[in-house]
Amino acid sequence: MQYPHMFRLRQRFDAPRVDDVPGATRREIRNLDPGESIKPGHTVAIAAGSRGIANLDTVIATIVDEMVALGARPFIVPAMGSHGGGTAEGQAGILAEYGITEAAVGAPVRSSMDVIEIGVTDFGMPVYFDKCASEADHVVVVNRVKPHTGFVGEIESGLMKMMLIGLGKHKGATIYHRAIIHHSFDKIVRVVGKTVREKMPITFGVALLENGYDETAQIAAVPARDFESAEKELLVKAKAWCPRLPFDEVDLLIIDEMGKDISGSGIDTNVVGRKRNERRAMDGDTPNVLRIFVRDLTEKTHGNAVGVGMAEFTTDRLIEKIDYHAMNINAITGQHPPAASIPMHFPTDEEVLHIALESIGLIEPVDARVLWIKNTLDLGEVEASTAYLDMAETRDNLEILVGPRQLQLGPDRNLPPIDTFARKVPEMVPAD
């Protein structure tokens, strides 16, 4: 089979960036004047989640410093639903991998899956909240504001969701996702969010926005009473700054790695365009990706391959790394069993490429529209097949870094990591 030649391009995103993350975090917090409510000796639970959020450890450490400066006694609680295998040890371990430990941020980590029931919604659903956090004098919520991978609305993923899914722990996350089968996400997040803010000592939140290069673009400290209105405004910015694929029509998308640290859905549906139906693109989806080939898992996902079923093809090496317990818990908690589906898989990338390129209809493999990315967070540089070359040369927001060259495989008949391929390693052999 003759494969398409590939060229490397760089995307230019609208990319505001916060260069002084500690300074910006301090300014935002001090603008709220938290000393009016947080007094010496008060305990402050700082909720930290499990996504691969840029500079999260720095932001958490700065919040700790600000609380200590007020004479308060801060501690960290993992706010991540069923992640980490749904265990206290697993969730503390995930935070440690993100650099959030007592030694690193200056506050102890209190990880527990225990929750208390703090109320019942008007449609009979109990509302749960992290027991450790509930015993604090104040709770500070920290999360990235971004488009959700499965829902669309004025409020998607951010501070409000963290109060529900994150601080509801496994028990809360399970009941809320079950409720979404019958009620809209928008209704759940508003109703439960209202109860949490009324019954629990939520004092303020720190919302983080990122640009298309996975860098911190904005930091906003928000009083609890303003979570809803602030998130609406911040989500508009977050959507505008989201990374995206350089072209809308794709026959085959090759993804080097997926994982929970990349996206809650493993592969970000806001990038690959399968938000309404992860099995295939629907009419009007942008981009319209026909086939997805995901090659491996990130180390930080700890074998949780939830979302792998979004891909049509994968490798045996990815399948062998799956922790089925962690993946299944996550899929069941999210009330989305297909997220744990296993796609067609083969021993080598070469075998996958042959099958994948035979499955794109009447288009000859050499003419296929192929994009190759590291993951759905890292889209600054992309490999593209020559079917896109004419378009790329006319786009002001694209820069061609390396001209067309033959797709290459290693001696093991696998593709190299995308960054290695960019350097054109000499020991590689032609794929065709």
Side-chain angles (χ1 to χ4, degrees):
M1 177 181 288
Q2 187 177 3
Y3 296 161
H5 282 51
M6 308 293 290
F7 66 96
R8 190 160 185 108
L9 59 83
R10 176 183 291 138
Q11 298 199 78
R12 297 190 184 96
F13 297 119
D14 181 11
R17 184 178 70 180
V18 176
D19 292 318
D20 180 7
V21 171
T25 305
R26 280 193 296 270
R27 286 191 297 273
E28 283 291 312
I29 292 173
R30 292 176 185 180
N31 284 341
L32 293 182
D33 195 12
E36 289 188 356
S37 57
I38 301 175
K39 303 301 182 183
H42 281 186
T43 54
V44 181
I46 303 170
S50 62
R51 297 287 184 267
I53 301 173
N55 298 306
L56 180 61
D57 56 340
T58 302
V59 171
I60 296 293
T62 305
I63 297 171
V64 169
D65 289 345
E66 290 299 298
M67 297 302 99
V68 170
L70 294 173
R73 295 181 290 126
F75 63 93
I76 313 300
V77 292
M80 53 184 79
S82 64
H83 303 175
T87 67
E89 297 77 12
Q91 295 193 351
I94 288 176
L95 289 189
E97 288 198 354
Y98 290 127
I100 301 172
T101 63
E102 182 171 3
V105 303
V109 175
R110 299 181 186 172
S111 183
S112 169
M113 301 307 292
D114 293 339
V115 294
I116 62 170
E117 184 176 326
I118 63 171
V120 179
T121 67
D122 58 359
F123 50 90
M125 181 184 72
V127 177
Y128 297 106
F129 196 79
D130 181 285
K131 186 174 186 295
C132 287
S134 75
E135 295 169 348
D137 297 305
H138 304 273
V139 178
V140 176
V141 182
V142 184
N143 202 17
R144 177 176 54 199
V145 174
K146 66 180 290 290
H148 196 282
T149 56
F151 308 107
V152 176
E154 292 182 313
I155 297 171
E156 296 188 23
S157 186
L159 301 176
M160 294 287 285
K161 181 190 169 192
M162 178 65 83
M163 287 195 302
L164 279 65
I165 308 299
L167 286 169
K169 309 299 288 189
H170 187 193
K171 192 169 185 177
T174 299
I175 193 71
Y176 303 147
H177 280 106
R178 287 173 61 189
I180 290 168
I181 299 294
H182 306 288
H183 305 277
S184 70
F185 176 77
D186 185 75
K187 179 178 180 178
I188 299 296
V189 78
R190 292 177 193 273
V191 170
V192 176
K194 182 175 183 294
T195 300
V196 170
R197 283 178 294 166
E198 288 176 348
K199 300 294 182 66
M200 291 291 98
I202 310 294
T203 302
F204 68 92
V206 176
L208 307 172
L209 276 69
E210 294 181 3
N211 62 31
Y213 301 106
D214 192 24
E215 300 168 330
T216 304
Q218 183 177 344
I219 300 170
V222 183
R225 65 179 179 274
D226 295 338
F227 277 10
E228 287 191 38
S229 58
E231 275 207 47
K232 290 178 186 178
E233 296 177 5
L234 293 172
L235 183 60
V236 173
K237 290 184 179 180
K239 287 182 176 180
W241 294 340
C242 270
R244 47 183 55 87
L245 297 176
F247 305 105
D248 289 341
E249 298 296 326
V250 185
D251 297 318
L252 174 63
L253 175 63
I254 303 170
I255 305 175
D256 272 7
E257 60 182 10
M258 62 166 288
K260 293 293 292 185
D261 53 317
I262 302 299
S263 170
S265 55
I267 298 169
D268 193 336
T269 57
N270 296 293
V271 171
V272 302
R274 298 187 179 187
K275 194 165 183 173
R276 292 181 293 161
N277 184 343
E278 64 189 28
R279 298 296 184 175
R280 63 181 179 87
M282 305 291 285
D283 291 342
D285 276 350
T286 302
N288 177 6
V289 178
L290 180 62
R291 302 285 185 246
I292 296 175
F293 166 30
V294 59
R295 302 177 58 216
D296 214 334
L297 297 179
T298 64
E299 289 186 13
K300 290 182 178 179
T301 201
H302 296 287
N304 187 342
V306 72
V308 69
M310 200 181 308
E312 281 76 26
F313 306 102
T314 190
T315 61
D316 289 357
R317 63 183 179 275
L318 182 151
I319 298 300
E320 290 165 1
K321 292 179 181 179
I322 293 177
D323 179 336
Y324 286 92
H325 175 73
M327 180 175 70
N328 292 343
I329 282 180
N330 201 175
I332 293 167
T333 300
Q335 290 287 292
H336 191 46
S341 300
I342 302 301
M344 193 178 295
H345 53 96
F346 297 90
T348 67
D349 293 353
E350 182 177 47
E351 291 170 87
V352 176
L353 289 170
H354 274 75
I355 298 297
L357 289 170
E358 286 179 350
S359 75
I360 61 172
L362 298 176
I363 299 170
E364 290 297 323
V366 71
D367 298 321
R369 297 167 296 185
V370 179
L371 293 179
W372 179 9
I373 63 175
K374 181 176 181 179
N375 56 55
T376 53
L377 266 182
D378 189 347
L379 298 171
E381 293 188 11
V382 177
E383 291 285 342
S385 66
T386 50
Y388 297 112
L389 188 57
D390 289 345
M391 285 184 284
E393 290 174 336
T394 64
R395 292 258 299 273
D396 292 338
N397 66 329
L398 301 179
E399 176 187 359
I400 297 174
L401 302 177
V402 182
R405 70 268 197 230
Q406 200 168 32
L407 193 63
Q408 295 176 313
L409 301 170
D412 59 359
R413 313 313 296 176
N414 292 322
L415 293 168
I418 186 172
D419 294 336
T420 301
F421 181 66
R423 295 193 295 269
K424 297 194 292 184
V425 178
E427 66 268 17
M428 310 204 75
V429 298
D432 54 353

